[in-house]
Amino acid sequence: MPRERTIFLVDGQSFYASVEKSGYPQYRNKPVAIGDPDRRSGIILAACPVAKARGVTTAERIFEARAKCPDLVVIRPRMQRYISISLLITQLFENFTDLVEPYSIDEQFLDVSGSISLFGSPYEIARQIQAQVRASTGVWSRVGIGPTKILAKTATDNFAKKRSDGIFELNRDNIETELWPLPVHQMFMVANRMTRHFIRMGLPTIGDVA
């Protein structure tokens, strides 16, 4: 039987805001959001964890965010800068494997199946990646690990993002205990309309669908 793959989905936490905070050390402990500071009705494109803890959310209006967080620092987006940092992160990943697939500007898949004999266990590789990306860009990375892209993505979104170490693995040993109890809307690619269909069918959890 062919050996299972080891796939990572690496996500940059609050990517735009993290890049800006790295460039402005004076904002390190301040609530920072990305948007047009001259447009009250403009929207928040991204918010750092400090801002999110104060109630700021992505896609809300800037005036609404400032009402909740009066000392919010709003920084105008620099898209070319974010693209350049994303490309730099890709190059860092390629130090570990040549099987790197960008999924979005702040998320990339890595197949590290052939890298384990060189760099250590999946967790050791994940920690090395986190350290290199943070040292080079200031961005904290969360790493989901799984035998497929979907499970790696699910591990990142539902588990790694909530852990202090930012790493979580979903595999055949824990998928029933960890993934199946989650509400069905947390299943990959299940949005509001499909969630309503599943609920009407009496399938409120991912385990029910499984």
Side-chain angles (χ1 to χ4, degrees):
M1 189 172 79
R3 181 180 173 185
E4 281 194 337
R5 312 301 294 175
T6 301
I7 310 296
F8 287 3
L9 188 281
V10 185
D11 165 84
Q13 183 184 42
S14 306
F15 185 67
Y16 297 170
S18 295
V19 170
E20 296 298 350
K21 291 187 85 164
S22 177
Y24 295 97
Q26 65 270 34
Y27 297 149
R28 182 177 303 277
N29 298 314
K30 293 184 177 297
V32 169
I34 307 303
D36 186 341
D38 297 327
R39 293 183 59 201
R40 273 186 84 252
S41 61
I43 64 169
I44 300 293
L45 299 178
C48 75
V50 177
K52 288 178 179 177
R54 303 272 289 275
V56 177
T57 60
T58 301
E60 75 175 335
R61 300 294 180 183
I62 290 174
F63 75 87
E64 296 171 331
R66 282 179 164 155
K68 293 183 283 189
C69 183
D71 59 338
L72 181 69
V73 178
V74 180
I75 299 176
R76 185 172 282 105
R78 298 185 293 167
M79 293 308 300
Q80 188 55 55
R81 173 68 174 165
Y82 309 146
I83 292 169
S84 296
I85 294 295
S86 181
L87 292 172
L88 171 60
I89 291 173
T90 301
Q91 292 175 353
L92 294 174
F93 292 161
E94 288 173 344
N95 291 329
F96 295 90
T97 174
D98 58 353
L99 299 175
V100 179
E101 179 185 340
Y103 182 65
S104 66
I105 194 169
D106 61 346
E107 294 179 294
Q108 303 192 46
F109 287 108
L110 287 70
D111 186 334
V112 299
S113 307
S115 308
I116 293 171
S117 60
L118 297 173
F119 298 105
S121 71
Y123 273 83
E124 290 171 330
I125 296 173
R127 285 191 287 268
Q128 292 175 61
I129 284 172
Q130 287 176 321
Q132 289 194 19
V133 171
R134 193 161 208 175
S136 299
T137 69
V139 175
W140 173 241
S141 300
R142 286 79 61 89
V143 185
I145 307 169
T148 68
K149 291 179 184 176
I150 288 177
L151 286 179
K153 169 74 170 163
T154 301
T156 301
D157 290 347
N158 293 299
F159 302 102
K161 289 182 178 182
K162 300 174 183 177
R163 292 175 56 91
S164 60
D165 66 356
I167 303 171
F168 192 84
E169 181 175 5
L170 267 180
N171 54 42
R172 296 183 189 278
D173 294 331
N174 67 357
I175 191 170
E176 292 188 27
T177 57
E178 299 290 346
L179 182 62
W180 287 11
L182 297 183
V184 74
H185 73 266
Q186 291 181 240
M187 191 162 77
F188 183 65
M189 296 295 288
V190 173
N192 292 340
R193 189 172 182 181
M194 184 60 70
T195 296
R196 290 194 295 270
H197 287 319
F198 279 133
I199 296 297
R200 280 199 297 267
M201 289 188 288
L203 305 171
T205 72
I206 294 176
D208 292 325
V209 178

